[in-house]
């Protein structure tokens, strides 16, 4: 295949490609139209080409969907320390109250209205796939480059980049396939995350000069914290590790303060609220119960409010060979990363039911799959272990629950899903969050 | 979510799901931008659900859904501040019928698996071109600058890549 041949429109397939890429001139579109109207074979070729484009795009989405969301953790020190603008009191001025007041006013003036200390500098590139657009031009992405308002930085599919902010201890880690625009430094730092994910460690910012990161759906206002912001075409997700971030949904101005270890999602038709972060699902267990049917667990007086114990699972899988004569309930929420059809499977040593709600309310759940024994992760032993394809929306959370009652023998339990365009996998922790339990409850 | 507790529009979602690849391809044939097509397809799904009560069940779902998709796709182009330049409705409908002929989602899934395997037959340089264009949605001028090639050469190369993938997919599906 030699691609370096002269360009021309003699090949009808090339005209189709130009059309599908939106670059075919209008008169050529008319010619293509006439050709496709009369030529069935060409219509077939066109259909195949457009199908191929769509499937190529989906292949990339599938790869992104399968990749763990938290591939890289930024380890940037956070320091909410003293500003360099603060000056020590001058002892010799003490008798001169007026002078002291003026000095104080000067300090406050510098603190509140002085220029923002840090401006973004490209500090690190993982691979060599970072592009920077300045005006209409490309600027080489070199370490130490000072970014300017209007610059657009984009990371490749296998790349990551780190921005630091001059003397202050603020850093942003941009994950792969992320597009960030530096909007302005006039009243604080204003950035626009068009797509992708960034992890931020933000030193304390000056009052009235916050760092603001806007996405297509929301605005995160920060005065000093650690957090992660992820945006797609339809939703923005904020995960806060330290401090407090205010997230404002731009479509209606609704806002929420998201504290440490909480997250929030801004998207159409999603209730804006601070929710416990994803990262696990709650398992509660009841011991010393005979029988091997979930109904026997349901008849226990201690069920569902008084389990003998509970633990947080790091993925939707219970450790094998946990015990005998027990029942357990695993419940929480799934957070679909993509909108589309999901298929679920359950595999367990004993009778178990998998229920899923079409909302975040447990009362809306219906049974979607059951297991009745078999070896670990034998997903296709029985057709009932598999759900029908279920359409779930990214940016929403759905209540999910498993009830199992096991007796003796090797016990095991796992729940898998197949996301749109992805492979079957045990549901990873990053797409799970536990139910909010009452304080002190086991 | 399952049949016993379905909301009225769940049948609509089920139908969209069963025809999603055809609808996405149809939308792409109108909006002519793979990533805008993704967004427009989401809107098509919602619009089909909203219009579900108006769907005459005695008619084929595919052509009715394409009518909805066409309206939504044209609106999404206008929202971008562009004037739609697209194929005639009759040509688009014929292409929709051609897309139907590729089979159901299971068959299309096999085709996609074959396509993924066939990416392996491309040269490293051509795989890179596919990645930049379809995985990263970079424009031709940007790719041309990155790779030090002319825009025209890229079009020729991509046309040949599509042809090579097309032949490879067909071979693999015949063998399967």
């Amino acid at each position: 295949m030699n691609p370096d041949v002269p360009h021309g429109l003699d090949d009808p397939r090339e005209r189709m490609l130009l059309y599908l890429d939106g670059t075919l001139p209008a008169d050529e579109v008319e010619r293509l139209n006439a050709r496709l109207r009369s030529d069935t074979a060409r219509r077939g070729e066109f259909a195949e080409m457009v199908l191929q484009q769509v499937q190529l795009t989906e292949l990339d989405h599938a790869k992104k969907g399968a990749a763990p969301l938290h591939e890289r953790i930024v380890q940037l020190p956070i320091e909410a320390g003293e500003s360099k603008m603060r000056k020590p009191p001058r002892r010799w001025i003490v008798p001169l109250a007026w002078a002291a007041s003026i000095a104080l006013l000067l300090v406050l003036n510098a603190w509140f209205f002085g220029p923002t200390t840090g401006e973004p500098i490209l500090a690190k590139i993982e691979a060599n796939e970072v592009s920077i657009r300045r005006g209409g031009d490309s600027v080489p992405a070199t370490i130490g480059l000072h970014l300017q308002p209007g610059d657009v930085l984009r990371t490749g599919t296998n790349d990551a980049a780190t921005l630091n902010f001059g003397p202050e201890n603020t850093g942003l880690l941009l994950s792969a396939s992320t597009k960030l625009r530096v909007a302005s430094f006039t009243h604080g730092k204003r950035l626009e995350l068009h797509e992708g994910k960034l992890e931020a460690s933000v030193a304390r910012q000056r009052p009235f000069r916050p760092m603001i990161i806007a996405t297509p759906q929301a605005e995160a206002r920060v005065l000093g914290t650690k957090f992660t912001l992820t945006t797609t075409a339809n939703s923005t997700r904020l995960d806060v590790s330290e401090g407090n971030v205010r997230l404002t949904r731009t479509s209606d101005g609704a806002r929420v303060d998201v504290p440490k270890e909480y997250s929030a999602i801004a998207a159409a038709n999603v209730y804006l609220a601070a929710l416990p972060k994803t990262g696990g699902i709650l398992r509660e267990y009841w011991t010393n119960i005979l029988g091997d049917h979930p109904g026997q667990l349901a008849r226990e007086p201690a069920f569902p409010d008084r389990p003998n114990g509970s633990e947080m699972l790091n993925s939707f899988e219970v450790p094998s060979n946990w015990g005998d004569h027990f029942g357990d309930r695993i419940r929480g929420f799934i957070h679909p990363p993509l909108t589309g059809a999901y298929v679920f499977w359950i595999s367990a040593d004993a009778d178990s039911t998998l229920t899923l709600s079409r909302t975040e309310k447990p009362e809306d759940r219906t049974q979607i799959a059951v297991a009745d024994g078999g070896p670990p992760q034998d997903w296709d032993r029985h057709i009932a272990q598999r759900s029908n394809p279920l359409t779930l929306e990214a940016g929403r959370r759905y209540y999910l629950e498993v009830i199992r009652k096991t007796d003796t023998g090797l016990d095991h339990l796992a729940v898998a899903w197949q996301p749109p365009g992805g492979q079957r996998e045990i549901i990873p922790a990053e797409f799970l969050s536990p139910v909010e339990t009452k304080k002190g409850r086991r | 979510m399952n049949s016993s507790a379905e909301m009225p529009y769940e049948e609509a979602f089920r139908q969209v799901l069963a025809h999603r690849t055809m609808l996405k391809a149809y939308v792409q044939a109108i909006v002519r931008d793979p990533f805008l097509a993704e967004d427009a397809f989401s809107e098509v799904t919602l619009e089909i659900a909203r219009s579900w009560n108006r769907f005459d069940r005695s008619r084929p779902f595919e052509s009715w859904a394409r009518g909805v998709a066409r309206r939504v796709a044209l609106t999404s182009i206008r929202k971008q501040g562009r004037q739609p330049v697209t194929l005639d409705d009759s040509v688009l409908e014929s292409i929709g019928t051609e897309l139907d002929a590729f089979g159901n989602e299971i068959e299309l899934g096999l085709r996609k698996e074959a396509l993924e395997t066939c990416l392996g037959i491309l040269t490293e340089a051509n795989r890179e071109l596919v990645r930049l264009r379809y995985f990263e949605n970079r424009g031709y001028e940007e790719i041309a600058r990155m790779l030090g090639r002319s825009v025209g050469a890229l079009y020729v190369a991509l046309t040949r890549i599509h042809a090579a993938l097309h032949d490879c997919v067909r071979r693999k599906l015949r063998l399967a």
Side-chain angles (χ1 to χ4, degrees), chain A residues 2-3 5 18-21 23 33 37 48 52-53 55-56 58 60 133 157 341 358 367 390, chain B residues 2 5 17 24 28-29 32 86 88 108 111-112 131 133-135 140 145 149 155 157 160 162 166:
Chain A
N2 174 18
V5 299
L18 288 164
Y19 169 82
L20 287 171
D21 282 326
T23 49
N33 215 2
R37 199 180 294 126
E48 192 151 8
Q52 206 174 79
Q53 280 196 339
Q55 293 197 317
L56 282 170
E58 285 179 348
D60 180 51
R133 302 284 295 174
T157 48
R358 61 174 181 270
Q367 183 173 299
L390 302 166
Chain B
N2 266 347
L17 202 60
K24 274 188 194 174
Q28 159 62 0
R32 307 160 68 193
T86 190
D88 287 353
L108 289 166
R111 180 174 281 272
K112 188 158 75 176
R131 187 180 71 79
R133 180 67 195 115
Y134 294 118
F135 295 2
Y140 281 91
R145 270 196 302 278
R149 296 167 70 174
Y155 276 120
R160 292 180 174 186
H162 275 289
H166 162 105

Side-chain angles (χ1 to χ4, degrees), chain A residues 220-256:
Chain A
R221 178 177 289 257
V222 189
L223 284 172
T225 179
K226 276 186 177 179
F227 65 94
T228 302
L229 199 61
T230 311
T231 189
T232 66
N234 302 319
S235 70
T236 292
R237 179 189 171 93
L238 169 70
D239 291 282
V240 179
S241 311
E242 286 184 12
N244 202 306
V245 179
R246 172 164 292 178
L247 189 71
T248 303
R249 187 164 58 195
T250 41
S251 61
D252 59 0
R255 61 177 62 173
V256 62

Side-chain angles (χ1 to χ4, degrees), chain A residues 19-20 33 36 43 46-55 58, chain B residues 16 19-34 36-42 44-45 48 59 61-77 85-102 105 108:
Chain A
Y19 169 82
L20 287 171
N33 215 2
L36 293 176
R43 280 204 299 272
F46 182 93
E48 192 151 8
M49 185 180 277
V50 68
L51 177 66
Q52 206 174 79
Q53 280 196 339
V54 165
Q55 293 197 317
E58 285 179 348
Chain B
V16 171
H19 298 89
R20 62 185 182 278
T21 308
M22 178 277 288
L23 284 170
K24 274 188 194 174
Y26 184 77
V27 168
Q28 159 62 0
I30 299 171
V31 303
R32 307 160 68 193
D33 174 335
L36 177 58
E38 282 281 326
D39 289 347
F41 173 70
S42 303
V44 167
T45 306
I48 285 175
R59 290 178 55 204
F61 170 78
E62 293 88 336
S63 68
W64 176 78
R66 282 197 285 269
V68 175
R70 185 158 54 237
R71 283 199 307 279
V72 172
L74 292 174
T75 304
S76 64
I77 294 172
V85 176
T86 190
L87 301 171
D88 287 353
D89 288 357
S90 62
V91 173
L92 284 170
E93 183 52 28
S94 305
I95 287 163
T97 311
E98 295 284 349
L99 288 168
D100 289 338
F102 287 115
E105 284 298 324
L108 289 166

